[in-house]
Amino acid sequence: MGRYVPHDSLESPRFSGVRTFMRLPNARDLPNSDAVVVGIPFDTGASFRAGARFGPEGIRSASHLLRPYNPLQGIGIFDHISVTDFGDIPIVPGYIEESYEAIRRELEVIHRAGVVPIALGGDHSIALPELRAAAAIHGPLAIVQFDSHADTWDSYFGKRYNHGTVFRRAVEEGVLSPQQSVQVGMRGSLYGASDLEESRRLGFEVMSTQTVRRLGPEETVARIRERVGESKVFVSFDVDFVDPAYAPGTGTPEVGGFTSAEALELLGGLSGIDLIGGDVVEVYPQYDGPAQITSLLAATVAFELLSLLASVKKANVEQSGGTEDGLDH
Ligand code: MN
Ligand code: MN
């Protein structure tokens, strides 16, 4: 069978049809998919605002603006990979551990099939079951986390599972390899002077917003690439990495951040990494305003992640001298 591709927006208008990601078919056909976009409408892990449960809906809606060719990465995504919108994972609002189990279970099936899930959050607490599922198949992962927060605090309100503690839990559980992982974009007020040191003590490389500004995009990308090397990589993109002027629809905004253009430049620079999963999280459409700019940013981040996958697939096929008629898993 052929690839799953989006509806052709030169044939039918982009404002028409059911709001799947990028107008892709809503299907659960893992044997015929290279990647799936999956919604995780969970926001019980948020510490301040509520409403990321509407993130997947907002991102899908804004994604109808996206066209299939990515000039930044020079790739026609669906010429190389078959992608569906997998729909949403049935989380349990108000119950984080039950939701974690549902997320892990569904994503593990996807990974086991050799398919790459790109998740639309949801608050950042979903990263832990995402990593549990990925690590169950791939082993401990390198993560590249774009975020204004390290999310390595120990607990909130006496509770261990939360969007501010996920990456500490992930280290404790051994589902990521901190020595191959990097946290990019940290800034803003902290609870104490040692907060970011804690992250480094856990083994992460931490590149603050200030550091990234000083190094510039090329050197930043080079450091990230060096850090992850040949490892299997999970990219987690918290939209608060971007300045609230460009991404107001988020849960814990921090001023003094990056432009959306800078974010796309950094993501595009990761071409060739062995991406086995990713997410874009912390979109709160009700704080976004009528222009939907945060949802559009998040949709474009997911588009860049799919582009990275397509580039790797294209390079692999060229290297082996083969054709792209079949799926490679
Ligand atoms: Mn975060
Ligand atoms: Mn954050």
Side-chain angles (χ1 to χ4, degrees):
M1 82 140 267
R3 295 191 183 89
Y4 285 108
V5 301
H7 285 288
D8 184 347
S9 296
L10 296 174
E11 297 289 334
S12 65
R14 285 184 280 171
F15 51 80
S16 64
V18 178
R19 286 297 195 267
T20 58
F21 187 78
M22 280 187 82
R23 310 191 73 201
L24 286 162
N26 176 207
R28 296 195 166 193
D29 179 9
L30 295 174
N32 292 302
S33 305
D34 296 298
V36 294
V37 176
V38 53
I40 308 185
F42 182 73
D43 61 7
T44 302
S47 59
F48 191 62
R49 290 172 174 167
R53 65 183 62 180
F54 298 114
E57 175 190 330
I59 298 167
R60 284 188 175 107
S61 179
S63 76
H64 276 219
L65 273 163
L66 294 165
R67 304 173 190 89
Y69 187 80
N70 182 341
L72 258 183
Q73 295 193 37
I75 190 96
I77 298 175
F78 308 100
D79 297 338
H80 306 285
I81 57 174
S82 173
V83 189
T84 66
D85 187 324
F86 198 75
D88 286 351
I89 290 179
I91 57 85
V92 190
Y95 294 86
I96 196 162
E97 288 170 48
E98 287 84 345
S99 296
Y100 272 9
E101 185 48 23
I103 296 165
R104 183 204 58 75
R105 191 174 54 237
E106 299 246 354
L107 291 179
E108 201 174 308
V109 173
I110 295 169
H111 283 292
R112 181 165 294 118
V115 175
V116 176
I118 303 296
L120 313 176
D123 72 56
H124 217 161
S125 68
I126 65 170
L128 184 59
E130 287 181 87
L131 291 170
R132 285 174 179 167
I137 306 302
H138 296 290
L141 301 153
I143 67 151
V144 180
Q145 177 194 352
F146 294 97
D147 201 329
S148 67
H149 314 97
D151 297 344
T152 47
W153 285 289
D154 190 37
S155 67
Y156 279 71
F157 332 119
K159 297 294 183 189
R160 290 164 49 78
Y161 299 119
N162 168 290
H163 71 164
T165 64
V166 275
F167 293 105
R168 178 183 289 261
R169 293 290 96 79
V171 172
E172 290 168 353
E173 294 183 15
V175 292
L176 67 77
S177 165
Q179 279 71 30
Q180 271 73 54
S181 297
V182 53
Q183 303 184 298
V184 188
M186 282 72 241
R187 66 176 182 275
S189 56
L190 299 167
Y191 293 105
S194 64
D195 285 5
L196 292 181
E197 277 318 306
E198 275 293 288
S199 235
R200 294 191 174 99
R201 194 187 58 74
L202 288 166
F204 290 104
E205 177 167 353
V206 179
M207 298 176 78
S208 68
T209 286
Q210 228 177 349
T211 302
V212 174
R213 285 261 174 256
R214 183 168 47 76
L215 294 175
E218 278 179 29
E219 181 62 22
T220 299
V221 160
R223 290 220 188 165
I224 296 171
R225 299 179 71 95
E226 187 183 63
R227 183 77 172 174
V228 304
E230 305 291 307
S231 313
K232 293 182 190 300
V233 182
F234 185 96
V235 173
S236 193
F237 193 99
D238 181 330
V239 294
D240 69 31
F241 173 79
V242 171
D243 192 273
Y246 300 86
T250 194
T252 45
E254 302 290 349
V255 301
F258 298 95
T259 67
S260 32
E262 288 166 334
L264 300 185
E265 188 177 2
L266 294 175
L267 283 169
L270 300 181
S271 178
I273 61 167
D274 188 6
L275 185 71
I276 58 82
D279 64 20
V280 51
V281 297
E282 297 283 340
V283 173
Y284 296 58
Q286 64 276 49
Y287 292 96
D288 207 11
Q292 296 182 290
I293 56 175
T294 314
S295 287
L296 182 57
L297 166 72
T300 310
V301 167
F303 168 85
E304 292 294 333
L305 294 177
L306 290 174
S307 303
L308 292 175
L309 288 172
S311 298
V312 168
K313 179 80 184 293
K314 179 174 183 234
N316 287 345
V317 168
E318 283 170 359
Q319 211 168 25
S320 66
T323 66
E324 295 190 54
D325 291 344
L327 296 155
D328 67 350
H329 59 82

CSV table of all heavy atoms in Angstrom, one decimal, residues 4-5 7 18-21 23-29 37 60 83-88:
chain,number,residue,atom,x,y,z
A,4,TYR,N,0.6,7.1,3.8
A,4,TYR,CA,-0.4,8.0,4.3
A,4,TYR,C,0.1,9.5,4.1
A,4,TYR,O,1.2,9.8,4.6
A,4,TYR,CB,-0.7,7.8,5.8
A,4,TYR,CG,-1.5,6.5,6.0
A,4,TYR,CD1,-1.0,5.4,6.5
A,4,TYR,CD2,-2.9,6.5,5.6
A,4,TYR,CE1,-1.7,4.2,6.8
A,4,TYR,CE2,-3.6,5.4,5.8
A,4,TYR,CZ,-3.0,4.2,6.4
A,4,TYR,OH,-3.8,3.1,6.6
A,5,VAL,N,-0.6,10.3,3.4
A,5,VAL,CA,-0.2,11.7,3.2
A,5,VAL,C,-1.4,12.6,3.5
A,5,VAL,O,-2.5,12.1,3.6
A,5,VAL,CB,0.2,11.9,1.7
A,5,VAL,CG1,1.4,10.9,1.3
A,5,VAL,CG2,-1.0,11.6,0.8
A,7,HIS,N,-4.4,15.4,3.0
A,7,HIS,CA,-5.3,15.9,1.9
A,7,HIS,C,-4.6,17.0,1.2
A,7,HIS,O,-3.8,17.8,1.7
A,7,HIS,CB,-6.6,16.4,2.5
A,7,HIS,CG,-7.5,15.3,3.0
A,7,HIS,ND1,-8.2,14.5,2.2
A,7,HIS,CD2,-7.9,15.0,4.3
A,7,HIS,CE1,-8.9,13.6,2.9
A,7,HIS,NE2,-8.7,13.9,4.2
A,18,VAL,N,-12.2,17.6,8.8
A,18,VAL,CA,-12.1,17.3,10.2
A,18,VAL,C,-10.6,17.8,10.6
A,18,VAL,O,-9.7,17.5,9.8
A,18,VAL,CB,-12.3,15.9,10.5
A,18,VAL,CG1,-12.1,15.6,12.0
A,18,VAL,CG2,-13.7,15.5,10.1
A,19,ARG,N,-10.5,18.3,11.8
A,19,ARG,CA,-9.2,18.9,12.1
A,19,ARG,C,-8.2,17.8,12.7
A,19,ARG,O,-7.9,17.7,13.8
A,19,ARG,CB,-9.3,20.0,13.2
A,19,ARG,CG,-9.9,21.3,12.7
A,19,ARG,CD,-9.0,21.9,11.7
A,19,ARG,NE,-9.3,23.3,11.4
A,19,ARG,CZ,-10.1,23.7,10.4
A,19,ARG,NH1,-10.7,22.8,9.6
A,19,ARG,NH2,-10.4,25.0,10.3
A,20,THR,N,-7.6,17.1,11.7
A,20,THR,CA,-6.5,16.2,12.1
A,20,THR,C,-5.2,17.0,11.9
A,20,THR,O,-5.2,18.0,11.3
A,20,THR,CB,-6.4,15.0,11.2
A,20,THR,OG1,-6.3,15.4,9.8
A,20,THR,CG2,-7.7,14.1,11.3
A,21,PHE,N,-4.1,16.5,12.4
A,21,PHE,CA,-2.8,17.2,12.3
A,21,PHE,C,-2.5,17.2,10.8
A,21,PHE,O,-2.4,16.2,10.1
A,21,PHE,CB,-1.7,16.5,13.0
A,21,PHE,CG,-0.4,17.3,13.0
A,21,PHE,CD1,-0.3,18.4,13.8
A,21,PHE,CD2,0.6,17.0,12.1
A,21,PHE,CE1,0.9,19.2,13.7
A,21,PHE,CE2,1.7,17.7,12.0
A,21,PHE,CZ,1.9,18.8,12.9
A,23,ARG,N,-4.0,17.8,8.2
A,23,ARG,CA,-5.0,17.1,7.3
A,23,ARG,C,-4.6,15.7,7.0
A,23,ARG,O,-4.9,15.2,5.9
A,23,ARG,CB,-5.2,18.0,6.0
A,23,ARG,CG,-5.5,19.4,6.3
A,23,ARG,CD,-5.9,20.1,5.0
A,23,ARG,NE,-7.3,19.7,4.7
A,23,ARG,CZ,-7.8,19.9,3.4
A,23,ARG,NH1,-7.1,20.4,2.5
A,23,ARG,NH2,-9.0,19.5,3.2
A,24,LEU,N,-3.8,15.1,7.9
A,24,LEU,CA,-3.5,13.7,7.6
A,24,LEU,C,-4.7,12.8,7.9
A,24,LEU,O,-5.6,13.1,8.7
A,24,LEU,CB,-2.3,13.3,8.6
A,24,LEU,CG,-0.9,13.8,8.2
A,24,LEU,CD1,0.0,13.8,9.4
A,24,LEU,CD2,-0.4,13.0,7.0
A,25,PRO,N,-4.7,11.5,7.4
A,25,PRO,CA,-5.7,10.6,7.7
A,25,PRO,C,-5.7,10.3,9.2
A,25,PRO,O,-4.6,10.1,9.8
A,25,PRO,CB,-5.4,9.4,6.9
A,25,PRO,CG,-4.5,9.8,5.8
A,25,PRO,CD,-3.8,11.0,6.4
A,26,ASN,N,-6.9,10.2,9.8
A,26,ASN,CA,-7.0,9.7,11.2
A,26,ASN,C,-7.0,8.2,11.1
A,26,ASN,O,-8.0,7.6,10.8
A,26,ASN,CB,-8.2,10.3,11.9
A,26,ASN,CG,-8.5,9.7,13.3
A,26,ASN,OD1,-9.6,9.7,13.7
A,26,ASN,ND2,-7.4,9.4,14.0
A,27,ALA,N,-5.9,7.5,11.4
A,27,ALA,CA,-5.8,6.1,11.3
A,27,ALA,C,-4.9,5.5,12.3
A,27,ALA,O,-4.0,6.2,12.9
A,27,ALA,CB,-5.3,5.7,9.9
A,28,ARG,N,-5.1,4.2,12.7
A,28,ARG,CA,-4.2,3.5,13.6
A,28,ARG,C,-3.7,2.3,12.8
A,28,ARG,O,-4.1,1.1,13.1
A,28,ARG,CB,-4.9,3.1,14.9
A,28,ARG,CG,-5.3,4.4,15.6
A,28,ARG,CD,-5.7,4.1,17.1
A,28,ARG,NE,-5.8,5.3,17.8
A,28,ARG,CZ,-5.8,5.4,19.1
A,28,ARG,NH1,-5.8,4.3,19.9
A,28,ARG,NH2,-5.8,6.6,19.7
A,29,ASP,N,-2.9,2.5,11.8
A,29,ASP,CA,-2.4,1.4,10.9
A,29,ASP,C,-0.9,1.4,11.1
A,29,ASP,O,-0.2,1.9,10.2
A,29,ASP,CB,-2.8,1.7,9.5
A,29,ASP,CG,-2.3,0.7,8.5
A,29,ASP,OD1,-1.8,-0.3,9.0
A,29,ASP,OD2,-2.5,0.9,7.3
A,37,VAL,N,1.3,11.1,14.7
A,37,VAL,CA,1.1,12.3,15.5
A,37,VAL,C,0.0,11.9,16.5
A,37,VAL,O,-1.1,11.4,16.1
A,37,VAL,CB,0.7,13.5,14.7
A,37,VAL,CG1,0.4,14.7,15.7
A,37,VAL,CG2,1.8,13.9,13.8
A,60,ARG,N,-3.8,21.0,16.3
A,60,ARG,CA,-4.4,20.4,15.1
A,60,ARG,C,-5.1,21.4,14.2
A,60,ARG,O,-4.9,21.5,13.0
A,60,ARG,CB,-5.4,19.3,15.4
A,60,ARG,CG,-4.7,18.0,15.9
A,60,ARG,CD,-5.7,16.9,16.1
A,60,ARG,NE,-5.1,15.6,16.4
A,60,ARG,CZ,-5.2,15.0,17.6
A,60,ARG,NH1,-5.9,15.6,18.6
A,60,ARG,NH2,-4.6,13.9,17.8
A,83,VAL,N,2.7,9.0,7.4
A,83,VAL,CA,2.3,9.5,8.7
A,83,VAL,C,0.8,9.6,8.8
A,83,VAL,O,0.1,9.9,7.9
A,83,VAL,CB,2.8,11.0,8.8
A,83,VAL,CG1,2.6,11.5,10.3
A,83,VAL,CG2,4.3,11.1,8.5
A,84,THR,N,0.3,9.2,10.0
A,84,THR,CA,-1.1,9.4,10.3
A,84,THR,C,-1.3,10.2,11.6
A,84,THR,O,-0.4,10.3,12.4
A,84,THR,CB,-1.8,8.0,10.5
A,84,THR,OG1,-1.3,7.4,11.7
A,84,THR,CG2,-1.7,7.1,9.4
A,85,ASP,N,-2.5,10.7,11.7
A,85,ASP,CA,-2.9,11.2,13.0
A,85,ASP,C,-3.6,10.1,13.8
A,85,ASP,O,-4.6,9.6,13.4
A,85,ASP,CB,-3.9,12.4,12.8
A,85,ASP,CG,-4.2,13.1,14.1
A,85,ASP,OD1,-4.3,12.5,15.2
A,85,ASP,OD2,-4.3,14.4,14.1
A,86,PHE,N,-2.9,9.7,14.8
A,86,PHE,CA,-3.3,8.5,15.6
A,86,PHE,C,-4.5,8.8,16.5
A,86,PHE,O,-5.0,7.9,17.1
A,86,PHE,CB,-2.1,8.1,16.5
A,86,PHE,CG,-2.1,6.7,17.0
A,86,PHE,CD1,-1.9,5.6,16.2
A,86,PHE,CD2,-2.4,6.5,18.4
A,86,PHE,CE1,-1.8,4.3,16.7
A,86,PHE,CE2,-2.3,5.2,18.9
A,86,PHE,CZ,-2.1,4.1,18.0
A,87,GLY,N,-4.9,10.0,16.6
A,87,GLY,CA,-5.9,10.4,17.6
A,87,GLY,C,-5.4,10.7,18.9
A,87,GLY,O,-4.1,10.8,19.1
A,88,ASP,N,-6.2,10.7,20.0
A,88,ASP,CA,-5.7,11.0,21.3
A,88,ASP,C,-5.6,9.7,22.2
A,88,ASP,O,-6.4,8.8,22.0
A,88,ASP,CB,-6.7,12.0,22.0
A,88,ASP,CG,-6.6,13.4,21.4
A,88,ASP,OD1,-5.7,13.6,20.6
A,88,ASP,OD2,-7.5,14.2,21.7
